[in-house]
Amino acid sequence: MHKLSPLFKALSILLFISIAGCVSLPTENQDPSKNNKATYNKDLKECKEDYPEAGSGVHLRQWMGCMNLKGWK
C-alpha cells in the first residue's frame, strides 16, 4: 500500500468541510403539529431508507428534496 501525502490529506479534509458547509437539511416543518424532534427523526429515517447513501454525495440533495416534500423547510 502507498501512503497518502499530507497535502492530499489536507486538501481532502478541506474539500469535505466546504461541501458539508454548503449542505444543510431543513429543520422546521410548516405544520406546527409536526414541528418536533420525533417527527423530524421519523421523516429523516424514511428519506434515508428511500435514498441510501452514495459515495458521490448525491444522497444529501435527495434527502433534502425528500424532507421538503414532507413539509420541512
Side-chain angles (χ1 to χ4, degrees):
M1 287 179 58
H2 65 283
K3 292 185 178 184
L4 298 176
S5 74
L7 179 61
F8 181 76
K9 288 180 186 178
L11 289 174
S12 297
I13 291 170
L14 183 62
L15 177 64
F16 176 77
I17 291 171
S18 64
I19 290 173
C22 295
V23 176
S24 175
L25 289 173
T27 58
E28 189 173 327
N29 199 302
Q30 59 192 11
D31 181 354
S33 67
K34 294 182 179 181
N35 200 11
N36 60 63
K37 189 160 181 73
T39 303
Y40 178 83
N41 288 338
K42 177 185 163 285
D43 287 348
L44 183 58
K45 180 182 176 193
E46 290 173 357
C47 289
K48 286 182 176 184
E49 289 172 355
D50 292 341
Y51 302 101
E53 288 189 37
S56 65
V58 71
H59 62 280
L60 296 172
R61 296 244 183 242
Q62 292 171 326
W63 293 350
M64 290 171 59
C66 178
M67 292 295 279
N68 284 332
L69 289 174
K70 292 178 180 280
W72 295 93
K73 303 292 178 198

